[in-house]
Amino acid sequence: MRISAALLLFVSCQTVFAAGSGLDARAEKTAERLRDDAMRGSRAYEIVESLTTEVGPRMGGSEAYDRATAWAQAKFKALGYDKVWLQPVTFPVWQRHSESARVVSPFPQRLVLTALGGSESTRGDLRAEVVEFADLEALKAVPDGTLAGKIAFVNLKMLRAKDGSGYGPVSNVRRTGASEAARKGASALLIRSVGTDSDRLPHTGMMKYEDGVAKIPAAALSVPDADLLANMLRRGKPVTVEMNIQAGFTGSKTEYNVIGEITGRSKPSEVVVIGGHLDSWDLGTGAIDDGAGVAITMAAGALIGDLKQAPKRSIRVVAFANEEQGLLGGKAYAEAMKDAMPSHQLGAESDFGAGRIYALYAGVSAGSRPVIEHIGTLLAPLGIALQASGGSAGPDLGPSVPYGLPWAELQQDGTDYFDYHHTANDTLDKVNAKDLDQQVAAYAVLAYMAAETAVDIAPEPPKTQP
Ligand SMILES: [Zn+2]
């Protein structure tokens, strides 16, 4: 008796839920089947293994990126996508040629560093005394000209966090530190790597020069080398470092976002867009950043493509070009699609490594929220909890949001992401196949239900400017 009452309540709740979400019991069954199939074993690991083995590092502007493009086109076709096409993006090419550094005095020994993306070269060997700063604010606080003929060294430690929240303040040092140091007269910038590891492997990443400020070379020391340099400086004697960075911009190149689509059965011109970025840095093989994201979303789309009946709307998977050097593929997508943005039902991007998903966020209108809530009930068995607010569309889809893209975020556990991020250690052994399956399950449910619902998902109203 008690059981049947509970069952009745359960059934009526489900019906009410389904009504608001525009999804019926059949759609829900299909989504559950996608989820459970993915959990039994998806193709994501096989895809990221293929990309890291057959292409490897594929920095924006490199010949290797062209091989990655051909790889992605072939992979989409092999996975049964109906349409595969390229979307161009042109940008200046930055290259790393060589990099080395050593302490000249008082304790001569080698230092391990890597040039930041976008850095200029040193003119031959650059030899100068090092001045340490705890953070960017300390550097900004010294009078202009103070650092004439010196190397500024910003030694700000990154804190480990599941949600990656330690990255923002420290990556700001990487992005803007060189121009701040140049304003004070410095001839080069050294930073502590933006990372949470203690490996002797430095973390690269993009930096940008401010217009009208001298362009000085900028590099990241590995975390143990930053500690080493700080220990020398603590002894109170001047520390002289010699560094030699050969890098810089040469000409421009056109590369491509690679796009695969599963055609919708009744509203083919409306799309759910998912994806990751195809480019990587040059130091590792780009397994977690962002081979995993490409593999997860390609595999999720392919799983939906294998259904006997496609969802109402199309599923579009984008392998974005050159995210690392300024979200260039994402900006190109937004620009090319801005007039077509109203036909975008939902966007979600995977670019935070290979760790399991634990939270779902969405940026949609209040009226569309029941769809997300219904999706949340199907993701709960995967250990994914729907959040009332917060989240973001991600780096590559972010540029589409001002044009009206409704978005969802499936947040991954990034506890160890910044141990490997942008280093030579970003390799396939950091990727766990079962963790990828959980993510494919989540993306397949999200994309399928968003593509199948009777509700046209509307974007979040724009935040009013203060
Ligand atoms: Zn990335």
Side-chain angles (χ1 to χ4, degrees), residues 361-401:
Y361 299 90
V364 302
S365 70
S368 316
R369 188 80 188 167
V371 183
I372 302 297
E373 285 164 359
H374 198 166
I375 291 169
T377 62
L378 268 79
L379 297 184
L382 299 174
I384 299 170
L386 175 62
Q387 309 296 309
S389 62
S392 80
D396 291 306
L397 289 177
S400 291
V401 173

Side-chain angles (χ1 to χ4, degrees), residues 34-48 79 292 295-303 306 432-442 444:
L34 285 168
R35 181 190 67 197
D36 299 343
D37 282 353
M39 288 300 280
R40 271 193 291 274
S42 78
R43 301 185 66 178
Y45 185 84
E46 168 193 325
I47 297 170
V48 65
L79 289 167
I296 290 160
T297 53
M298 270 188 172
L303 204 58
D306 288 343
N432 175 291
K434 281 283 150 209
D435 290 349
L436 293 190
D437 293 342
Q438 185 253 11
Q439 298 176 74
V440 173

Side-chain angles (χ1 to χ4, degrees), residues 85-407:
W85 78 98
L86 301 178
Q87 191 173 56
V89 47
T90 303
F91 52 83
V93 174
W94 181 81
Q95 288 178 312
R96 178 198 315 277
H97 301 296
S98 64
E99 50 203 16
S100 62
R102 66 189 181 98
V103 176
V104 178
S105 65
F107 309 114
Q109 53 179 299
R110 190 174 78 103
L111 291 171
V112 179
L113 53 53
T114 191
L116 299 181
S119 174
E120 295 285 325
S121 296
T122 55
R123 295 181 213 288
D125 291 333
L126 187 158
R127 187 184 280 211
E129 191 186 328
V130 174
V131 182
E132 183 183 4
F133 296 93
D135 53 27
L136 210 50
E137 287 60 46
L139 172 62
K140 284 180 186 170
V142 299
D144 287 4
T146 316
L147 298 180
K150 305 246 167 74
I151 296 171
F153 166 42
V154 183
N155 192 16
L156 180 61
K157 196 171 181 174
M158 180 177 169
L159 301 174
R160 188 180 294 278
K162 187 177 183 180
D163 65 357
S165 54
Y167 186 61
V170 188
S171 64
N172 192 37
V173 177
R174 187 191 74 212
R175 269 194 300 273
T176 66
S179 290
E180 294 297 345
R183 230 194 297 279
K184 307 302 178 186
S187 48
L189 172 76
L190 288 176
I191 64 166
R192 182 189 186 92
S193 273
V194 180
T196 48
D197 59 293
S198 58
D199 298 313
R200 209 169 183 188
L201 295 170
H203 297 237
T204 192
M206 207 57 187
M207 54 84 58
K208 216 172 155 16
Y209 293 111
E210 240 177 80
D211 287 340
V213 180
K215 296 179 176 182
I216 61 170
L221 291 162
S222 83
V223 166
D225 287 85
D227 287 340
L228 175 65
L229 193 54
N231 286 343
M232 288 183 185
L233 287 159
R234 244 200 348 230
R235 284 161 164 76
K237 289 188 197 136
V239 175
T240 301
V241 163
E242 185 179 273
M243 55 193 275
N244 190 316
I245 304 283
Q246 297 305 316
F249 286 98
T250 42
S252 72
K253 186 177 176 221
T254 298
E255 292 186 347
Y256 300 91
N257 292 332
V258 187
I259 306 177
E261 210 164 279
I262 304 290
T263 309
R265 73 172 188 279
S266 59
K267 294 178 162 186
S269 63
E270 296 186 16
V271 297
V272 171
V273 59
I274 58 176
H277 64 87
L278 185 57
D279 70 304
S280 72
W281 278 108
D282 50 340
L283 304 176
T285 62
I288 62 166
D289 188 14
D290 185 24
V294 168
I296 290 160
T297 53
M298 270 188 172
L303 204 58
I304 295 170
D306 288 343
L307 292 171
K308 281 200 190 71
Q309 190 183 51
K312 291 191 179 96
R313 299 173 186 79
S314 297
I315 307 288
R316 177 179 294 169
V317 179
V318 186
F320 290 96
N322 207 339
E323 184 272 350
E324 295 294 359
Q325 298 174 20
L327 322 178
L328 302 163
K331 288 173 183 166
Y333 182 86
E335 214 38 54
M337 293 291 165
K338 62 183 174 192
D339 295 332
M341 214 51 83
S343 65
H344 282 62
Q345 169 79 342
L346 193 71
E349 165 182 357
S350 174
D351 184 17
F352 200 55
R356 287 189 179 229
I357 296 163
Y358 67 95
L360 168 65
Y361 299 90
V364 302
S365 70
S368 316
R369 188 80 188 167
V371 183
I372 302 297
E373 285 164 359
H374 198 166
I375 291 169
T377 62
L378 268 79
L379 297 184
L382 299 174
I384 299 170
L386 175 62
Q387 309 296 309
S389 62
S392 80
D396 291 306
L397 289 177
S400 291
V401 173
Y403 296 121
L405 177 73
W407 56 267

